[in-house]
């Protein structure tokens, strides 16, 4: 073998080590890739010629090595054609293994033979030389693998800072930053050309399936190509200026914000390509670092200069780029697919799916907006929460539901599948406006796939209306965090008993589909319906929960076709608003003057009337008070539907045709007067749906009829008895297969604070399935919340006898011991919990609190710092750290945590704002109560005489839709609709 061939093989080996071990997206690396490929072709020809001429000559080790080198060259040549895609990784490793093995044998042969005897190495010991070389290669492989993979994975991790900023001014680039108040930053502080975010079609050349999925997705229509979002930003900029709207732009409008164009009112540029681009491939895939899980666009973007090659209009440059990426995709993958995108998916998604508002946006204070991350992290779905009612077979992240695997031949496929970039979720509005039937079908299929269930479960006499003592926090569990969103297992609910006058649970007839229930004409009964989240990893509904219509409908129809009960009816034959007395799942907020937040004007939120959302792996029990009319037939069929409409009727009308009444009039004086009615704190102006539809961001210039999706439904039949027979007696059937249904019923009662009834339901679980510890645990958590520690101790000990390592049983047992003053015992049980669930914030907070109470301040600080590593904004951790540092005499750190505690703590005085609104809106005041009932809308069979106020409302003229003549005026203060 001549010297030139030896040098060529040496270059190939050295370049292979470099290319495999240190993949980088730069010109030098790309040049080495091309040189390696070219040198490989030359070496292959050279090796073939050598084998044809000289393979019978020389030492056996050299000949075997040359054969192995040529054998390794064959897959190398194939890779030049196929590219080193994932599907070809077997070829890559065969190529590497044969080539290095062949070179190793040749090396072992050459070092054993030298021109001078004293230069030979282990001459005469060929086997030993080969063994040493093979051992060196065996050591080289894992070292190269470590440098290539492990260091890369460990480097790109999402980690929270030790402390959150004191104010919003400490987030992102601060008040002087080009993108503030978004927390987003760009490496180097530079702007990024709009075109970078608008060239997703360049990705299509290799990822056509993914591109086509994304092209219909809600991500693609996140910006001003979405009329609902567009209207909210136009309204926001008209009200509080362009700079605060950058708070939204960090995640919604990359082609506008990062190019420095968002200082221009969007109305002036709304139809430009940048404003219509949405979230392209480059937005998510150019995120190089996520700074925390505090959301708000808290990431760094990186502008890869070599991207210009991919998007080049020059076909030669474009072809060369594609060839290089295909030949060695690893640098491309490292630029656009960071490890955290796969391994910390939820933390990655939290950067945009968790937000807060503060003074630069709302001119008020810190308030939590929507938040998908925290309740996922604290739940059983993540595998990190210790206290969940249910756990999936294995922990799940966002992509498991919202990016399911789909068959694909894309170059990035793994085993013939890619993660769907349709991002199936709940947005039915955008595909309706776009007339995208495929995306709408996928979304509706996702919503109705069984992630939630409805169960018309129980029946009981309703001799007196339910009375619920008013509670400060409304329907949600009481907490201290300033939030417009629900707070679930990421915080511990305070003990409360809203039904102070109830001492025993009412006997029920259940499950209704098992016991052939009956009712009497003339009686009034309570029907309990259970809504359960089964495959939902966050609260239901999620997202901007002030903007949707999500409600539970219950309808009763007798065998004569008469509707005898209807709660949750939709006006205008199912196309108008939902009747106000329905059981809603939403966040109802008001501005400083008590007007409802119904225009996506979150910056004006000053108080929350109520929040009702269902936690992951939990349930809601809804009560309906049903009168059985005297003229009812012999059988009633009850149908319950969990209904969903994105967006709400009002929000859709406003987004497409909304304007202030004064502007519709064209009177300059009225326009000027209206301007004074609309401020950053409130909007007292009346809205009318008369604006021109010209140029709206939709397929057609009309207001779309957004579909109502029945996410889940259930039906049962009731026999109707004559009024003169004895009242039906309660009856129950306890079958083992129904234990979850009883458990769900109890969970819903527990979460609304009906502790006696919850315990009665959980007792049925212990009877139906005595070996199941869940019933005992849940009785214990209800008894503990009620303050009955003796009973809680007894039942929790039964649970631990059945399952000694059950973390949630240990958690609540620790609560019993803590209330009894046994801090050491409580600490022991909490330590057991934390050993299994080291990221359960409430367990860590409780453990830290006990350490504080025992004056073990340093240990408490270490424990509580673990909480802040999970959530830097955890209110309880800051409060306890403030006390701990005070105990240690560290006044500076105590002050640091005190300031943050006060930043995140709720403004309790703001609840006074809700008073006038609740007086004007008794249905919403009813919904605010933790335990409440719903009645039917007025129906002819119930009240054929004088129509009530609600009947009059139902008979109001048709709403202003496309083609109608009479516009509708809507009062922001009352939401009432009157013909103009």
């Amino acid at each position: 073998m001549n010297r030139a061939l030896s040098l060529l093989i040496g270059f190939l080996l050295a370049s292979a080590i470099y290319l495999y071990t240190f993949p980088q997206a730069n010109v030098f690396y790309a040049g080495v890739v091309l040189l390696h490929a070219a040198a490989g072709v030359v070496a292959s020809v050279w090796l073939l010629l050598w084998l044809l001429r000289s393979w019978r000559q020389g030492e056996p080790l050299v000949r075997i090595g040359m054969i192995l080198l040529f054998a390794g060259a064959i897959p190398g040549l194939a890779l030049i054609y196929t590219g080193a895609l994932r599907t070809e990784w077997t070829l890559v490793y065969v190529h590497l293994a044969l080539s290095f093995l062949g070179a190793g044998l040749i090396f072992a042969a050459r070092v054993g033979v030298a021109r001078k005897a004293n230069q030979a190495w282990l001459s005469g010991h060929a086997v030993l030389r080969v063994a040493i070389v093979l051992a060196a290669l065996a050591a080289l492989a894992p070292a190269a693998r470590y440098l290539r993979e492990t260091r890369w994975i460990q480097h790109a991790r999402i980690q929270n800072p030790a402390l959150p900023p004191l104010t919003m001014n400490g987030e992102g680039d601060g008040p002087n930053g080009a993108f503030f108040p978004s927390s987003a930053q760009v490496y180097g502080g530079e702007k990024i050309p709009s075109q970078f975010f608008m060239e997703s079609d360049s990705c299509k050349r290799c990822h056509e399936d993914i591109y086509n999925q994304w092209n219909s997705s809600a991500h693609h229509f996140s910006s001003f190509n979405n009329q609902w979002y567009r209207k909210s930003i136009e309204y926001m900029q008209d009200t509080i200026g362009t700079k605060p709207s950058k708070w939204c732009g960090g995640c919604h409008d990359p082609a506008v914000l990062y190019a420095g164009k968002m200082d221009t009112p969007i109305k002036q540029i709304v139809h430009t390509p940048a404003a219509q681009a949405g979230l392209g491939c480059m937005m998510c895939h150019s995120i190089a670092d996520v700074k925390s899980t505090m959301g708000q666009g808290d990431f760094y973007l990186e502008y890869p200069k070599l991207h210009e090659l991919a998007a080049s209009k020059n076909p030669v440059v474009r072809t060369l780029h594609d060839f290089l990426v295909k030949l060695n995709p690893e640098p491309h993958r490292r630029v656009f697919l960071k490890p955290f995108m796969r391994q910390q998916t939820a933390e990655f998604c939290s950067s945009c799916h968790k937000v807060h508002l503060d003074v630069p946006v709302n001119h008020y204070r810190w308030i939590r907006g929507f938040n998908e991350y925290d309740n996922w992290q604290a739940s059983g779905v993540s595998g990190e929460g210790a206290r969940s009612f249910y756990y999936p077979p294995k922990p799940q992240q966002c992509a498991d539901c919202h990016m399911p695997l789909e068959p694909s031949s894309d170059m990035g496929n793994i085993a013939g599948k890619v993660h769907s970039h349709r991002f199936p979720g709940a947005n039915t509005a955008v595909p309706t406006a776009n007339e995208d039937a495929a995306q709408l079908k996928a979304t509706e299929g996702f919503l109705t796939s069984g992630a939630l269930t409805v169960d018309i479960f129980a029946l009981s006499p309703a001799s007196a209306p339910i009375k619920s003592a008013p509670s400060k926090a409304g329907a949600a569990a009481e907490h201290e965090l300033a939030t417009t969103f629900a707070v679930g297992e990421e915080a511990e609910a305070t003990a409360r008993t809203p039904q102070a006058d109830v001492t025993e649970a009412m006997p029920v007839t259940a499950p209704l589909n098992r016991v052939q229930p009956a009712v009497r004409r003339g009686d009034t009964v309570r029907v309990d319906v259970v809504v359960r989240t089964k495959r939902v990893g966050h609260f239901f509904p999620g997202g901007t929960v002030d903007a949707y219509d999500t409600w539970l409908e219950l309808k009763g129809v007798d065998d004569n076709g008469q509707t005898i009960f209807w709660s949750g009816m939709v006006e205008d034959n199912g196309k108008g608003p939902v009747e106000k007395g329905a059981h809603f799942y939403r966040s109802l907020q008001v501005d400083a003057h008590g007007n409802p937040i119904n225009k996506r004007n979150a910056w004006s939120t000053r108080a929350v009337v109520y929040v009702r959302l269902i936690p992951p792996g939990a349930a809601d029990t809804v009560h309906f008070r049903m009168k059985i009319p005297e003229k009812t037939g012999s059988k009633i069929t009850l149908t319950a539907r969990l209904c969903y409409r994105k967006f709400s009727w009002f929000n859709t009308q406003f987004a497409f045709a909304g304007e202030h009444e004064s502007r519709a009039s064209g009177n300059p004086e009225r326009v000027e007067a209206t301007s004074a009615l609309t401020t950053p704190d409130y909007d007292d102006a009346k809205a009318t749906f008369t604006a021109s539809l010209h140029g709206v961001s939709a397929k057609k210039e009309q207001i779309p009829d957004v579909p109502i999706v029945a996410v889940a439904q259930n039906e049962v039949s009731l026999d109707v008895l004559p009024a003169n027979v004895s009242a039906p007696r309660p009856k129950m059937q306890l079958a083992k297969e129904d234990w979850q249904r009883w458990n769900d019923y109890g969970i819903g009662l527990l979460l609304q604070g009906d502790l006696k009834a919850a315990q009665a339901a959980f007792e049925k679980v212990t009877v139906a399935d005595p070996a199941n510890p869940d019933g005992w645990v849940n009785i214990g958590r209800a008894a503990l919340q009620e303050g009955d520690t003796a009973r809680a101790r007894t039942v929790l000990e039964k649970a631990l006898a059945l399952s000694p390592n059950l973390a949630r049983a240990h958690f609540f047992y620790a609560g019993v011991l803590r209330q009894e003053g046994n801090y050491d015992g409580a600490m022991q049980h909490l330590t057991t919990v934390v050993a299994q669930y080291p990221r359960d914030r409430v367990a860590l907070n409780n453990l830290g609190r006990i350490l504080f109470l025992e004056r073990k301040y340093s240990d408490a600080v270490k424990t509580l710092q673990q909480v802040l590593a999970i959530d830097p904004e955890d209110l309880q951790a800051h409060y306890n750290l403030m006390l701990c540092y005070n105990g240690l005499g560290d006044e500076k750190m105590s002050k640091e945590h005190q300031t943050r505690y006060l930043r995140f703590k709720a403004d309790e005085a703001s609840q006074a704002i809700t008073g006038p609104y609740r007086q004007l809106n008794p249905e919403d005041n009813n919904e605010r109560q933790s335990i409440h009932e719903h009645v039917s809308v007025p129906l002819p069979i119930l009240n054929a005489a004088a129509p009530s106020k609600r009947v009059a409302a139902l008979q109001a003229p048709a709403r202003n839709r496309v083609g109608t003549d009479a516009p509708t005026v809507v009062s922001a203060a009352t939401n009432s609709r009157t013909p103009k």
Side-chain angles (χ1 to χ4, degrees), residues 4-5 7-9 11-13 15-16 19 29-47 73 76-81 95 320 323-324 327-328:
L5 180 56
L7 291 174
L8 187 59
I9 292 172
F11 167 76
L12 286 170
L13 294 174
S15 61
L19 293 175
Y29 186 92
V32 175
V33 170
L34 287 174
L35 284 174
H36 183 85
V41 172
V42 173
S44 300
V45 175
W46 209 326
L47 284 168
L77 293 172
L79 287 168
I80 294 176
Y81 175 74
H95 170 60
L320 178 61
F323 173 74
L324 277 169
L327 188 59
N328 189 338

Side-chain angles (χ1 to χ4, degrees), residues 46-307:
W46 209 326
L47 284 168
L48 178 61
L49 292 175
W50 187 92
L51 289 172
L52 291 174
R53 295 176 182 175
S54 311
W55 76 277
R56 293 182 181 276
Q57 304 171 12
E59 297 181 56
L61 277 180
V62 173
R63 283 184 286 165
I64 295 171
M66 295 294 276
I67 291 171
L68 289 172
L69 276 175
F70 184 71
I74 294 172
L77 293 172
L79 287 168
I80 294 176
Y81 175 74
T82 65
L85 309 177
R86 285 184 181 274
T87 53
E88 310 300 334
W89 276 8
T90 301
L91 271 183
V92 171
Y93 285 108
V94 168
H95 170 60
L96 288 171
L98 291 175
S99 299
F100 274 91
L101 182 58
L105 293 179
I106 294 171
F107 176 79
R110 291 303 187 193
V111 297
V113 179
R115 294 178 181 177
K116 297 181 181 180
N118 62 352
Q119 292 180 345
W121 179 58
L122 296 176
S123 180
H125 298 281
V127 173
L128 182 58
R129 292 199 306 274
V130 170
I132 293 173
V133 169
L134 292 179
L137 290 175
L140 174 65
R145 180 77 179 176
Y146 171 80
L147 292 171
R148 174 187 171 91
E149 299 291 346
T150 308
R151 288 179 67 251
W152 164 246
I153 292 170
Q154 291 176 348
H155 170 72
R157 295 281 304 169
I158 299 173
Q159 293 181 313
N160 281 314
L163 283 173
L166 282 171
T167 68
M168 198 178 217
N169 289 343
E171 298 170 8
D173 288 323
N176 297 323
F179 315 131
F180 184 82
S182 169
S183 295
Q185 295 173 271
V186 176
Y187 280 135
E190 59 184 342
K191 292 184 173 66
I192 299 177
S194 294
Q195 199 65 26
F196 175 68
F197 299 104
M198 299 162 56
E199 293 169 337
S200 296
D201 56 343
S202 65
C203 305
K204 183 180 180 180
R205 298 199 300 268
C206 294
H207 303 291
E208 185 171 3
D209 290 341
I210 288 175
Y211 173 86
N212 290 335
Q213 294 159 2
W214 162 84
N215 200 39
S216 292
S217 72
H219 276 192
H220 182 195
F221 294 94
S222 70
S223 191
F224 306 107
N225 51 2
N226 174 336
Q227 181 62 29
W228 287 270
Y229 175 76
R230 168 183 164 182
K231 182 69 172 186
S232 69
I233 299 301
E234 290 174 347
Y235 175 50
M236 183 181 193
Q237 291 185 345
D238 287 346
T239 306
I240 59 175
T242 57
K243 186 165 186 176
S245 69
K246 296 179 184 180
W247 173 71
C248 307
C251 287
H252 281 268
D253 316 303
V256 178
L257 177 67
Y258 299 114
K261 298 178 180 179
M262 211 155 181
D263 290 310
T264 303
I266 200 61
K267 287 181 178 179
Q268 299 178 21
I269 58 172
V270 71
H271 294 296
T272 62
Q276 295 289 311
L279 286 182
C281 305
M282 295 304 164
M283 175 57 212
C284 294
H285 287 282
S286 66
I287 293 176
D289 181 36
V290 177
K291 297 174 282 180
S292 76
T293 60
M294 290 185 283
Q296 208 77 357
D298 200 15
F299 49 68
Y300 270 105
L301 290 176
E302 185 174 41
Y303 178 48
K305 299 293 186 181
L306 291 182
H307 166 265

